[in-house]
Amino acid sequence: MKLKQIFFFTSLILACTATRAQQVLTLEQAIDLGLKNNFDIRMARNDAELSANDNAYANFAFAPRINGTAAQTWTNTATKQEFGNGTKRDTSGIKNKQLQAAVNLNWTLFDGLKMFATRQRVQAIEILGELAVRNQVENTVANIINSYYNIAQQKQQLRALAEQMSISDERVKLSDAKFQTGLAPKTDWLQAKVDYNAQRANWLRQQTVIEQSKASLNQLLAIADESVNYDVLDTIPLNLRYTYGQILENVNQTNPQLQISRQNLEISRLTLKERKGDFFPVLSFNSAYNFNQSRASAAINQFSPVFNQNRGFNYGFSATVPIFNGLNAHRQYKAAKLDIEYQQLALDNQASLVQLQLRNAYRDYEYYKMALELEQESVDLARENTMVALERFRQGVSTTLEVKEAQQSLELAAYRLIQARYNTKVAETELMRLKGGLLK
């Protein structure tokens, strides 16, 4: 069997699985679905919306506080009295209705600039929420890319297994023909048949792996309907032109984790400004309008009113001076300073980790680029060696063992090539994730 015939047989095997499919899902479509539906992204956006909601009302911290109160009570009294001169008085059954209402205003005019620091901190928290969403989006997109091309990798493995099956099928036919003509023992045919069945089992298993890989991608895309069926492109495009200098350029400003760490540091600094405000007096403007009305069904005595109403308006200023509160303000101020030191250390540590991750990812990227060239050459050589071994076996100048060894070499070389191609893509994606460039 010629090489072209083997590839034709391989295509027929793969065509058997294509009948179940299938609309092709591109990577861009997968990323678009993930950005809309992924659970982690949606939860991060929800957290960001909570922070944005707090910031939307931040300016009202400068506005006065106005509270209204109202109450109405009903009383029923029964009073019996006996006086020293022997007279008695019974005022039972007197009913009284009382209405009270008030509007109070409190306006903080000065609190050591704490209000301004609080507003800035709330704004910084909103920015932190946006950065957290971007970081989650970067991570999710990276996971989608890796998961998508993992399916492509598994499909390439399936194609390599189909090629192995075609070679094993040719071995079975040649061994059977030799056995029937008495040119080879039956054991050659039996071993070829066992090898073919093993390749068939691996091929069936690989189809299961593909379905499992699709299920993993479905989870990232939040596709819960198991009946959804699609296919993916089985090619893995690579960008082999990245340099270390390109990756390092502006990475301190674009890396999402570093941006989050810097924002946490800024929030800690604003918290310290808030704590400083606890040491200053609080000056407030206060005002109130009060209304009281009571009405009785009868007078208890000639001096008690049956109807009474009071209303009035007052205003003034108040100052609250912190003198001693168990050193609680000092404790909170010191804790805020320690938190700044902690966030600075966290930022320095994150910067160190990013540099380490970039170096390692780029080393992987460079290694797999070189391995890709070597493995491609190995596959070409192994495929030619297998075809030569098959032809030698057909002509009776070699044994089935030589064909099997050549076939195993081709199988391993193809596996390494597919792995190198996928690992190069993973390293490339990791470089872009660390740089914060997946969304561009």
Side-chain angles (χ1 to χ4, degrees):
M1 182 182 291
K2 302 296 184 181
L3 182 58
K4 291 183 178 180
Q5 293 175 308
I6 291 179
F7 281 139
F8 176 74
F9 183 73
T10 300
S11 300
L12 289 177
I13 295 177
L14 292 175
C16 295
T17 61
T19 57
R20 295 178 300 178
Q22 325 151 357
Q23 184 176 355
V24 174
L25 177 71
T26 65
L27 177 63
E28 290 73 18
Q29 291 171 333
I31 292 176
D32 185 58
L33 283 172
L35 293 179
K36 293 178 182 177
N37 302 328
N38 181 265
F39 293 113
D40 292 328
I41 292 178
R42 288 160 63 184
M43 288 188 292
R45 284 175 178 159
N46 185 267
D47 291 339
E49 288 174 4
L50 288 175
S51 301
N53 181 68
D54 291 340
N55 187 36
Y57 294 92
N59 287 330
F60 287 98
F62 300 95
R65 302 292 185 267
I66 301 176
N67 295 303
T69 59
Q72 183 164 321
T73 57
W74 292 265
T75 60
N76 193 336
T77 60
T79 304
K80 294 183 179 181
Q81 296 175 313
E82 293 184 9
F83 298 95
N85 59 6
T87 60
K88 298 181 179 180
R89 183 168 61 187
D90 188 350
T91 57
S92 301
I94 295 179
K95 297 180 180 180
N96 184 280
K97 181 173 71 173
Q98 185 173 16
L99 174 65
Q100 294 178 322
V103 178
N104 298 281
L105 179 145
N106 180 275
W107 193 357
T108 301
L109 303 177
F110 177 78
D111 63 351
L113 303 180
K114 185 177 179 179
M115 294 181 293
F116 295 91
T118 300
R119 182 181 64 174
Q120 291 174 332
R121 182 176 59 84
V122 173
Q123 291 173 342
I125 291 176
E126 180 183 7
I127 295 174
L128 178 65
E130 294 171 356
L131 292 174
V133 171
R134 180 178 177 84
N135 180 58
Q136 185 58 60
V137 168
E138 289 275 355
N139 292 335
T140 300
V141 169
N143 290 335
I144 290 173
I145 292 174
N146 292 338
S147 183
Y148 183 92
Y149 286 121
N150 180 52
I151 300 174
Q153 171 198 207
Q154 301 301 336
K155 290 186 64 177
Q156 291 179 5
Q157 295 287 2
L158 184 68
R159 188 165 61 240
L161 286 171
E163 182 182 3
Q164 291 296 318
M165 287 173 56
S166 65
I167 296 173
S168 295
D169 181 69
E170 178 67 7
R171 279 180 57 202
V172 170
K173 293 177 180 178
L174 290 176
S175 298
D176 182 59
K178 288 177 177 293
F179 169 66
Q180 296 297 335
T181 57
L183 297 176
K186 187 177 182 180
T187 53
D188 286 354
W189 175 82
L190 293 173
Q191 184 61 53
K193 190 66 176 177
V194 168
D195 292 341
Y196 175 81
N197 289 342
Q199 294 293 342
R200 176 70 178 175
N202 291 337
W203 188 75
L204 294 173
R205 173 58 186 166
Q206 189 63 26
Q207 288 183 307
T208 301
V209 172
I210 291 174
E211 294 303 316
Q212 292 172 336
S213 299
K214 286 184 179 180
S216 298
L217 179 60
N218 287 346
Q219 196 281 327
L220 290 172
L221 305 184
I223 298 177
D225 189 357
E226 295 183 359
S227 64
V228 174
N229 195 7
Y230 58 85
D231 200 3
V232 304
L233 301 175
D234 60 357
T235 57
I236 303 179
L238 300 174
N239 188 337
L240 305 178
R241 298 186 300 273
Y242 287 125
T243 65
Y244 195 53
Q246 288 177 319
I247 300 301
L248 286 181
E249 185 179 3
N250 297 326
V251 70
N252 288 332
Q253 284 70 45
T254 58
N255 179 267
Q257 284 293 339
L258 289 177
Q259 291 177 331
I260 289 175
S261 295
R262 274 194 294 269
Q263 194 64 20
N264 280 325
L265 178 59
E266 178 63 19
I267 291 172
S268 295
R269 289 170 176 163
L270 293 172
T271 301
L272 181 64
K273 292 176 65 175
E274 286 185 284
R275 299 285 73 84
K276 286 181 179 178
D278 294 334
F279 295 100
F280 290 86
V282 178
L283 178 64
S284 302
F285 172 76
N286 304 289
S287 180
Y289 175 82
N290 297 289
F291 177 85
N292 290 283
Q293 184 187 86
S294 64
R295 187 184 299 273
S297 60
I300 297 176
N301 54 57
Q302 60 180 339
F303 302 104
S304 62
V306 177
F307 175 80
N308 184 44
Q309 178 174 299
N310 296 306
R311 58 184 178 179
F313 175 75
N314 61 73
Y315 60 90
F317 295 90
S318 65
T320 302
V321 181
I323 298 175
F324 182 76
N325 63 350
L327 300 178
N328 189 53
H330 290 79
R331 179 185 61 81
Q332 292 179 334
Y333 180 77
K334 185 176 181 180
K337 290 183 66 176
L338 290 172
D339 188 57
I340 290 178
E341 294 178 10
Y342 174 84
Q343 295 298 339
Q344 183 62 58
L345 289 172
L347 175 58
D348 294 341
N349 181 58
Q350 187 61 48
S352 176
L353 287 175
V354 169
Q355 291 294 328
L356 174 63
Q357 291 169 347
L358 278 172
R359 284 195 298 270
N360 289 339
Y362 191 77
R363 285 167 181 159
D364 284 341
Y365 177 70
E366 286 292 295
Y367 163 73
Y368 287 120
K369 282 201 306 181
M370 293 185 292
L372 198 58
E373 296 180 7
L374 292 174
E375 297 304 342
Q376 183 61 64
E377 181 182 2
S378 296
V379 167
D380 294 340
L381 293 174
R383 183 173 287 119
E384 182 179 357
N385 183 51
T386 302
M387 295 304 103
V388 171
L390 269 177
E391 187 60 32
R392 283 168 54 82
F393 182 64
R394 180 182 294 106
Q395 296 177 4
V397 295
S398 69
T399 64
T400 185
L401 181 60
E402 179 182 334
V403 178
K404 182 177 180 180
E405 289 178 351
Q407 184 180 357
Q408 288 176 340
S409 296
L410 175 59
E411 180 179 3
L412 292 175
Y415 175 81
R416 292 195 305 269
L417 174 62
I418 295 169
Q419 283 290 303
R421 188 180 295 119
Y422 174 70
N423 289 333
T424 304
K425 189 64 181 181
V426 171
E428 173 193 327
T429 303
E430 179 66 3
L431 287 174
M432 289 297 98
R433 185 190 72 82
L434 291 171
K435 187 174 176 59
L438 286 177
L439 299 182
K440 294 180 181 178

